[in-house]
Amino acid sequence: MAKILGSFKTGARATFDPLGRMLVRSGVSPDVVTIAGTAGVVATSIGLVTRGHLFAATLIITLCCLLDVLDGSMARARGHATRFGALLDSTMDRVADGALFGCLAWWCLVTDQHLLGAAAMICLIGAQLVSYVKARAEGLGFTCNVGIAERMERLILIGVAGLLTGVGVHWALPIILWLLAGLTLITVIQRVVHVRRQERRASVGAEERG
């Protein structure tokens, strides 16, 4: 799976690089593209996901998420990425994830799908925790690039669920949403354990040097 996603990311970057260079030459800021993509996800989540129009919402949100690839292409075209741009990108990702899963949970609850709403809330909280643990770990000097369900995997899974539900495969959303909830929590645990192991190795190394 990691190799497949890696190939997909490489191919997507190669596809968007010419457009990224053109936008940079036109004076467009990557930060504007980042914000526009997030605004599209939020608007679509509020306008379509809350009403159960999951097929159309998935298509539009997928297009909006591609802007996340485009802003990276633009940063490469400029020859550098700013620290503010990295912060903004991460922040907008959290906003987009929160809007998507929050609106999905809302739709589940107002249509009396309470267990499914609980799964969506677990995905919402878990997605924020996955990112927080990594950011906090890296702020403390650890590495934290591990986990079975990072953001792209989560988006792919929920996208598949939305498309299948939209064409009448009604069992897809409950199965995939609960699967995603479980994988997200596992990812949080993996990252916490990974950091704990690094700290233990560092403590042992310090004791041996002492």
Side-chain angles (χ1 to χ4, degrees):
M1 175 63 90
K3 289 183 178 180
I4 293 174
L5 290 176
S7 299
F8 173 78
K9 290 178 181 178
T10 300
R13 287 169 182 165
T15 301
F16 280 92
D17 279 350
L19 179 57
R21 289 192 292 270
M22 183 187 74
L23 290 174
V24 168
R25 287 196 298 269
S26 300
V28 178
S29 169
D31 296 343
V32 172
V33 174
T34 300
I35 294 171
T38 302
V41 173
V42 172
T44 303
S45 298
I46 294 172
L48 295 179
V49 175
T50 56
R51 297 161 61 191
H53 301 311
L54 302 186
F55 188 87
T58 299
L59 296 180
I60 297 172
I61 288 173
T62 298
L63 292 176
C64 292
C65 287
L66 290 176
L67 293 178
D68 195 42
V69 180
L70 179 58
D71 65 12
S73 296
M74 294 174 67
R76 288 192 297 276
R78 291 200 308 184
H80 68 280
T82 66
R83 288 183 294 179
F84 173 77
L87 172 65
L88 180 65
D89 188 61
S90 296
T91 302
M92 292 298 101
D93 285 349
R94 305 293 78 73
V95 171
D97 290 352
L100 173 57
F101 286 108
C103 289
L104 182 59
W106 170 269
W107 173 69
C108 291
L109 294 174
V110 298
T111 54
D112 295 325
Q113 303 178 80
H114 297 136
L115 286 177
L116 202 55
M121 289 301 297
I122 293 172
C123 290
L124 169 60
I125 296 169
Q128 304 300 319
L129 280 174
V130 166
S131 300
Y132 173 79
V133 171
K134 180 178 180 179
R136 181 62 174 153
E138 291 179 346
L140 293 171
F142 298 104
T143 62
C144 202
N145 294 316
V146 298
I148 194 172
E150 297 186 284
R151 187 168 190 259
M152 180 170 285
E153 289 86 347
R154 296 196 301 271
L155 291 176
I156 289 174
L157 282 174
I158 198 62
V160 169
L163 292 175
L164 290 176
T165 302
V167 298
V169 185
H170 299 298
W171 52 262
L173 186 61
I175 290 177
I176 293 178
L177 203 54
W178 278 111
L179 173 64
L180 182 56
L183 292 177
T184 302
L185 293 179
I186 290 172
T187 303
V188 174
I189 295 170
Q190 284 179 309
R191 290 188 167 182
V192 171
V193 170
H194 181 69
V195 170
R196 178 59 175 160
R197 286 174 177 169
Q198 290 180 74
E199 185 176 47
R200 285 181 174 177
R201 286 196 296 268
S203 297
V204 171
E207 290 177 0
E208 290 177 348
R209 290 192 297 271

